[in-house]
Amino acid sequence: MPIASPEVYAEMLQRAKERSFAYPAINVTSSQTLNAAIKGFADAGSDGIVQVSTGGAEYASGQGVKDMVTGATALAEYAHVVAAKYGVNIALHTDHCPKDKLDSYVRPLLAISQERVDRGQEPLFQSHMWDGSAVLLDENLRIGAELLERAAAAKIVLEVEIGVVGGEEDGVANEINEHLYTTEDDALATAEALGLGEKGLYMAALTFGNVHGVYKPGNVKLRPEILAQAQRAVAEKHQPDGDGKPFLLVFHGGSGSLAEEITAAVDNGVVKMNIDTDTQYAFTRPVADHMLKNYDGVLKVDGEVGDKKTYDPRVWGKAAEAGLSARVVEACEGLRSAGTSLSA
């Protein structure tokens, strides 16, 4: 199927909230990881989200270029061609973009999509994230309002982060402390500044103890009840006759989360959960296994010629893709999106 249209993407997100499931959002850095992610969604019978961070986009552009917009555009164009061969809907998203990279990443990509829409085409990406976690809330929301206006004009969904995610990802680092928890006042301020859909569709990454990086289950202290409290506060003030979940929520930093914490977060309105650390490992682990098992074949040891059948990148590359695809299927099952594709 083609990459999700703005209308299909909006339906995907609203459907996830109404039915209490979430889409895994898989970070990709290459055509191989992109292929693997899309196949994983297709294998699970789930629509899904593929996303590119600033670092991933720079990497994808090649070491001779190192330009974020070039890399993101190349991956998106590739995705538009490849995804059409699969029977699920795929949305393209750009992950964490801090203030100092807006002018070199999100704003240029918004301009590209606006030009496409003006020509009668669909936007290149379906959503972009503004990561304002490192600035004060007033500035975060002021920039968010400006970006939301531009995104809505280009038929794009905006993602904002309200609060702080601990740990480090692509150079954005935050301490693990009490600031990891979004307050009800923060949520109310967000609704006041960005509206609840009338100014444009957006997702909100409210923080409830989330931490980027690698942690064993139980080591991250999540409080998903914070999401329920934020939803309730905004609903009581702005949507008393609504469904009680006015926000489309996003879950960042999920590594080390317990299954019941993830389930609680989804039940409280999370429709998108970012998965990067786990899928990086799922992609790399089969490669390491192949290299260790075929050491003499992949290297010209002691003057030998090696074995082309083992060092051919297509051989270990297929194994890597299969590992990542399997992890995507697992994520879809855990987030209850498996078998929910709009095309089913």
Side-chain angles (χ1 to χ4, degrees):
M1 299 184 72
I3 289 292
S5 67
E7 295 76 18
V8 167
Y9 190 34
E11 185 179 355
M12 284 169 55
L13 298 176
Q14 294 291 351
R15 192 164 179 251
K17 186 179 74 166
E18 291 169 3
R19 298 193 182 185
S20 291
F21 67 86
Y23 297 106
I26 308 301
N27 283 65
V28 300
T29 56
S30 65
S31 60
Q32 274 197 299
T33 52
L34 176 63
N35 286 336
I38 295 175
K39 184 178 184 299
F41 286 119
D43 289 346
S46 172
D47 299 322
I49 301 169
V50 172
Q51 58 190 23
V52 189
S53 67
T54 55
E58 182 181 281
Y59 175 83
S61 74
Q63 297 307 293
V65 179
K66 291 187 176 182
D67 178 75
M68 294 182 290
V69 172
T70 299
T73 300
L75 283 177
E77 293 284 10
Y78 181 85
H80 275 264
V81 175
V82 172
K85 301 295 183 179
Y86 289 88
V88 294
N89 298 289
I90 301 296
L92 303 177
H93 176 77
T94 59
D95 200 12
H96 293 271
C97 182
K99 181 181 177 181
D100 64 347
K101 293 182 179 177
L102 283 173
D103 287 339
S104 55
Y105 195 48
V106 165
R107 288 189 176 112
L109 289 172
L110 280 171
I112 289 172
S113 283
Q114 186 65 63
E115 290 172 2
R116 289 170 62 101
V117 169
D118 290 345
R119 295 195 300 266
Q121 297 176 283
E122 302 286 16
L124 183 62
F125 281 86
Q126 285 63 62
S127 52
H128 293 297
M129 182 190 176
W130 147 234
D131 183 351
S133 62
V135 302
L136 295 176
L137 184 62
D138 286 349
E139 183 179 11
N140 184 350
L141 294 175
R142 178 180 57 77
I143 293 173
E146 173 249 316
L147 293 172
L148 181 60
E149 182 177 3
R150 292 190 60 181
K155 300 182 179 181
I156 288 171
V157 177
L158 183 69
E159 179 182 330
V160 296
E161 185 165 322
I162 308 301
V164 176
V165 174
E168 188 273 336
E169 181 176 47
D170 271 353
V172 179
N174 293 300
E175 294 182 6
I176 300 175
N177 54 33
E178 71 279 0
H179 298 297
L180 304 186
Y181 303 97
T182 302
T183 68
E184 291 183 22
D185 286 343
D186 295 338
L188 289 166
T190 301
E192 293 286 349
L194 304 183
L196 290 173
E198 70 277 8
K199 298 180 181 181
L201 190 62
Y202 69 92
M203 296 178 282
L206 305 186
T207 58
F208 53 106
N210 322 53
V211 179
H212 288 134
V214 185
Y215 300 88
K216 292 182 179 180
N219 284 356
V220 176
K221 305 304 179 185
L222 292 179
R223 293 171 54 196
E225 67 274 11
I226 284 178
L227 301 180
Q229 293 165 2
Q231 294 274 40
R232 184 166 52 250
V234 173
E236 288 176 353
K237 183 171 183 179
H238 296 284
Q239 292 183 345
D241 299 322
D243 62 5
K245 295 187 287 189
F247 286 130
L248 296 168
L249 298 180
V250 179
F251 186 166
H252 288 189
S255 296
S257 303
L258 297 174
E260 55 266 33
E261 294 172 334
I262 295 174
T263 297
V266 173
D267 287 341
N268 288 328
V270 165
V271 299
K272 171 180 178 280
M273 180 174 175
N274 292 8
I275 303 177
D276 185 19
T277 302
D278 286 0
T279 48
Q280 286 178 348
Y281 183 78
F283 185 81
T284 301
R285 181 63 181 81
V287 179
D289 184 63
H290 177 85
M291 298 303 172
L292 291 172
K293 288 180 177 178
N294 298 280
Y295 186 83
D296 291 345
V298 298
L299 297 176
K300 296 182 178 182
V301 179
D302 295 331
E304 295 297 327
V305 295
D307 181 3
K308 184 181 184 299
K309 291 182 180 179
T310 60
Y311 62 70
D312 184 338
R314 290 171 294 184
V315 176
W316 49 264
K318 289 177 183 177
E321 288 188 29
L324 196 158
S325 294
R327 183 62 184 85
V328 172
V329 171
E330 181 184 335
C332 291
E333 292 171 347
L335 293 173
R336 305 189 293 235
S337 73
T340 66
S341 174
L342 291 172
S343 61

